[in-house]
Amino acid sequence: GIMFPMISGVGELRAAKRILEEVKEELKAEKVPVNDNIELGIMIEVPSAVMMAENLAAEVDFFSIGTNDLIQYALAIDRVNERVSYLYRPLHPAILKFIKHVVVAGHNAGIKVNMCGEMAGDPLCTMILIGLELDGLSMTPLAIPRIKKIIRESTLKESKKLLQKVMTFCQATDVETYVESFMK
């Protein structure tokens, strides 16, 4: 498949798809074999893409939520700036609502929704992500054993129960405290 990054809306996506088609036609004209059944997807990593998820889902075969950039842009923080990096909160209620919105939009359109970025490999987030019903998580190889253990020891039912509770909170600290307590 091919995944377009940093798509902020349908116009950009359609322009990228047109360019892809032009390139495919050029290759065909040069007698280069081209696969006409390439799955197309986009990285959801800016707030405007989240809000346009229903429209974008109708245009692609899959989504991947890029949490590093999405969190940074949604919370208006620079995660590499030591003065404000403490504000980088994957379990911020707004981020959870963004992710839920994207998953629902994708699944309603019949497409898979995956996640990449630090959040996907964060053990504190694992049960929340299970409850959100993401189709796949991409993480660094070092994170896999811990995440796999949590997934094996969790159920969808208890993960959904946890998610339902934390979605009632309005502060990241409350979500983090509750999730830590629940997982213990």
Side-chain angles (χ1 to χ4, degrees), residues 47-97:
S48 60
V50 170
M51 299 315 297
M52 296 302 295
E54 292 85 359
N55 303 94
L56 291 165
E59 301 268 340
V60 295
D61 301 305
F62 65 92
F63 283 158
S64 184
I65 301 172
T67 59
N68 294 352
D69 286 330
L70 181 60
I71 294 166
Q72 179 171 309
Y73 297 139
L75 300 180
I77 56 104
D78 179 0
R79 62 189 171 101
V80 295
N81 181 334
E82 292 177 13
R83 292 183 178 168
V84 294
S85 62
Y86 71 94
L87 295 171
Y88 184 85
R89 307 300 274 273
L91 292 177
H92 189 289
I95 300 304
L96 298 180
K97 288 177 182 182

Side-chain angles (χ1 to χ4, degrees), residues 4-157:
F4 298 116
M6 288 292 171
I7 296 294
S8 66
V10 173
E12 284 179 359
L13 175 58
R14 288 181 180 165
K17 288 168 69 174
R18 278 192 301 275
I19 293 168
L20 176 62
E21 288 305 313
E22 290 170 12
V23 170
K24 285 168 66 175
E25 292 305 316
E26 288 174 16
L27 290 170
K28 287 177 185 179
E30 295 173 13
K31 305 288 189 236
V32 176
V34 174
N35 182 350
D36 284 319
N37 297 315
I38 299 170
E39 284 196 345
L40 295 179
I42 62 169
M43 183 78 77
I44 302 283
E45 51 197 332
V46 295
S48 60
V50 170
M51 299 315 297
M52 296 302 295
E54 292 85 359
N55 303 94
L56 291 165
E59 301 268 340
V60 295
D61 301 305
F62 65 92
F63 283 158
S64 184
I65 301 172
T67 59
N68 294 352
D69 286 330
L70 181 60
I71 294 166
Q72 179 171 309
Y73 297 139
L75 300 180
I77 56 104
D78 179 0
R79 62 189 171 101
V80 295
N81 181 334
E82 292 177 13
R83 292 183 178 168
V84 294
S85 62
Y86 71 94
L87 295 171
Y88 184 85
R89 307 300 274 273
L91 292 177
H92 189 289
I95 300 304
L96 298 180
K97 288 177 182 182
F98 271 13
I99 294 167
K100 183 176 182 176
H101 180 82
V102 171
V103 171
V104 169
H107 289 171
N108 284 346
I111 67 171
K112 288 189 175 186
V113 182
N114 299 311
M115 176 181 282
C116 63
E118 293 173 19
M119 188 175 184
D122 183 344
L124 189 61
C125 299
T126 304
M127 288 187 71
I128 297 295
L129 301 178
I130 292 169
L132 286 164
E133 297 187 57
L134 284 146
D135 297 300
L137 303 173
S138 177
M139 63 196 73
T140 64
L142 291 175
I144 293 172
R146 289 181 72 194
I147 301 304
K148 194 173 183 179
K149 182 179 186 321
I150 294 168
I151 291 171
R152 285 186 171 156
E153 294 177 358
S154 304
T155 66
L156 180 58
K157 184 177 179 179

